[in-house]
Every structure is written in structure tokens, then in C-alpha cells.
Amino acid sequence: MTQSRAILIGERPQQVSVGTIDIPPLGPEDVLVASRVIGICRSDIELRDGHLDHVIDVEYPVVPGHEWSGVVVEAGRKALLAPGDRVVGECLITPHDWFGCNVNGAGSDVFTAPAKVLHKLPDEIDDTMGAMVEPFTIAFRAIREIGGCDPGDVVAVIGGGMIGQCAASICRANGAQVVTIEPNQRRRELALRLGADIAVDPADLTDAEAWFREHTGVAGPTLVVEASGAPTGLALAVGVAGFRGRVVMIGITATASIPAPLNLVQAKNLRILGVTGSPEVWPAALRFIARAGIDLRSLVSKQFPFDQAGDAFTATEDGDNLKIHLMPTLGD
């Protein structure tokens, strides 16, 4: 049985360490992958702190890593992949099994994954951008599910985190006017560099209708993408939406009850949709990234070698850092 160096969550309570795991023999539909880039997101912090235990059954220690890119080392006889193929992979294996959450993920030098959740990377997408495909697909699916957007739309994206930046880039590529609403100045600056037309602090929206009339020519956005998960952001989504607007909610929150002006849902004839995950859109999302020339690599704040995994998790909690990447070969 092969062994591999790996990042371990929960070997000690609420801690991240680096150790060794056994890699089981490949099944006929499995693939052995060598990691290239692994992204850390907020759900990895939640996993570390035990906050996902009420959602899925987690047996610790577990290897994180659901945002990643890698290269195929070996493929089972029924896997339609070959050594040397550059790949990325979906998080959801079954409704109860999440890669990198309660199934060992990509946070090791080599790992196995079912071929059914893997997708080849187009040549236009490098390894760093490949590790951002998973969060991109979440925004991509949400915008598709709510009906998409075009140059006639004014879109408000609430939250300038990774998924919010992905949503803004998608809407801008579709020709819509994009307004990013985000309290952090650095994230607003990043949004503008990535193509948002306007970035505004929510504190400046005390009269949202007047603000939108002045800056976009409409009384409110035709589409609102709530990507912050913050209680204030969730409430704001209803407040800023224009008459007969569409609202799609993808920000995850652990807050059980949030005060919001729900009377406006009926008064404005709003259509509201909640979306989680990204099944069935990965091939289309990869084509979109390649053809639209989406480049989110400037969102990577820092890169860490595996041996500094604990520091990388700590850096993820700094609001000024948008995306932290772990590089298995960095420093080797």
C-alpha cells in the first residue's frame, strides 16, 4: 500500500498538522492524482473547528482539499483518463459524501478520486486557475439557475469574497453592468480590477434606490447575487433588489434567524432562489472560463508549502486575504 504525506485536520482537536496516510489500491473506476495546487476556503475552517459535524458525518482525522488541480498518475481500467492528464474535481461524490470534507481530499502529495467526478483542464487554464474552478462553478450554476444575465441587466453582487468575485466575473463576461457591494476596501479594489463596473461600501446605501438611480440609471438591480452569507448581506439582498427583480442566494451562513424586510418580497414581486453546490455544470463552466478568458489568479493572496499548512489556515481567517493556496512542491 502506497503512503503519502498529507495535511490532517483533527489529528488533534481543532488543529491542522502534516502527517502520513495510506493510499489504497486503485479500483477500476478510480484515479490516482498528484496534487499541484490546493485552495483553502471558509468551509475548511469550519471543518477544522468541527462546525460541519451537524451537516455530515466526519471521522477525524480527515484530509481537506476540495478546491484543487492535479495531474493523473495512474488510472483504473474503466476510468476514461490517462497518466499526464491535468484534472480538477467536483466536491459532491454522493449526497452524503463530500470530497475533502468527510472523504479524504486533495491535501496530500497523491490521492485517489472516483473518475466520475474528475474533469480534464483545458490548455487555457493553468494549475493555479484550475484550483479556483470549484468555487467558480458554484457561482456559475447559481447564475444559470436564476435565469442568467445579459447587457440589459444591472447586477448587484453582495460580498467580495471568492464566490462573489467569481459571480461578478461571470456577469461581466455576459455583458451586464456589475455593482459589487462589499465593506472591505481591498476586496472592492480587487473587484474593480477584475471587471466590476462599480464597487460600493454597503454603508453608503442608506437610500439604495436613490444610489442606484444615480449610479446605474435604474431604481434597483434586476439581479442580486447574495454571496456573502453575512446576516446583513442576506437582508440587504431583498432591500436593494429592483421591482420584479431576481435574487439568488449562495452565501452560506450558520445564523439560524436573520431579521429581513420580507414584506418587500411581495411588494416588489421578487423571485428568490437558494442554490448550493454545482452538480452538472462543470464541463460548461470550464468552457466558459476558457472561451471568456476568465483569470482570477490575482485573487491569490499567499502561497504556502505543505509543511506550513497550519499557517495557511490561519492566513485564511484574515479578511484581507482572499484566497490562500497550498503548493505541495513549494519549498521542497
Side-chain angles (χ1 to χ4, degrees), residues 6-188:
I7 300 162
L8 299 172
I9 288 180
E11 192 173 40
R12 294 183 297 277
Q14 297 185 330
Q15 289 193 19
V16 177
S17 59
V18 178
T20 302
I21 61 169
D22 292 327
I23 305 296
L26 286 185
E29 297 179 352
D30 293 333
V31 177
L32 182 68
V33 180
S35 296
R36 288 293 177 263
V37 182
I38 302 103
I40 305 175
C41 84
R42 184 67 205 176
S43 62
D44 292 311
I45 303 298
E46 302 293 345
L47 179 66
R48 179 199 66 186
D49 295 343
H51 296 163
L52 297 183
D53 295 4
H54 69 288
V55 180
I56 52 175
D57 292 327
V58 182
E59 185 176 339
Y60 296 99
V62 66
V63 179
H66 63 274
E67 299 179 9
W68 60 272
S69 64
V71 61
V72 174
V73 175
E74 183 182 351
R77 59 184 176 82
K78 291 186 178 181
L80 301 178
L81 291 165
D85 286 342
R86 297 170 56 247
V87 290
V88 290
E90 301 186 34
C91 177
L92 194 66
I93 299 175
T94 76
H96 305 289
D97 295 306
W98 300 358
F99 190 76
C101 293
N102 66 339
V103 173
N104 281 346
S108 55
D109 288 323
V110 294
F111 62 91
T112 58
K116 67 179 182 179
V117 302
L118 302 184
H119 303 273
K120 289 185 183 180
L121 273 176
D123 292 340
E124 297 90 339
I125 303 176
D126 71 5
D127 293 341
T128 297
M129 183 62 205
M132 298 180 174
V133 169
E134 194 275 338
F136 183 91
T137 61
I138 294 171
F140 184 82
R141 176 173 176 253
I143 291 164
R144 275 198 162 192
E145 291 284 319
I146 198 65
C149 59
D150 59 40
D153 283 300
V154 174
V155 180
V157 177
I158 299 176
M162 185 66 200
I163 303 247
Q165 301 282 1
C166 289
S169 71
I170 293 164
C171 295
R172 189 69 180 87
N174 284 333
Q177 183 178 13
V178 178
V179 177
T180 294
I181 302 173
E182 163 61 48
N184 183 289
Q185 181 178 347
R186 173 167 166 70
R187 294 187 176 199
R188 292 198 303 271

Side-chain angles (χ1 to χ4, degrees), residues 39 185 223 320 326 329:
Q185 181 178 347
L223 171 62
D320 283 337
L326 282 159
T329 59

Side-chain angles (χ1 to χ4, degrees), residues 286-317:
L286 286 165
R287 288 193 299 270
F288 188 95
I289 292 169
R291 289 186 58 81
I294 301 293
D295 186 355
L296 304 173
R297 291 175 296 179
S298 62
L299 298 179
V300 179
S301 304
K302 295 179 181 178
Q303 297 173 330
F304 289 84
F306 260 28
D307 290 343
Q308 296 177 21
D311 294 335
F313 270 68
T314 299
T316 299
E317 299 180 86

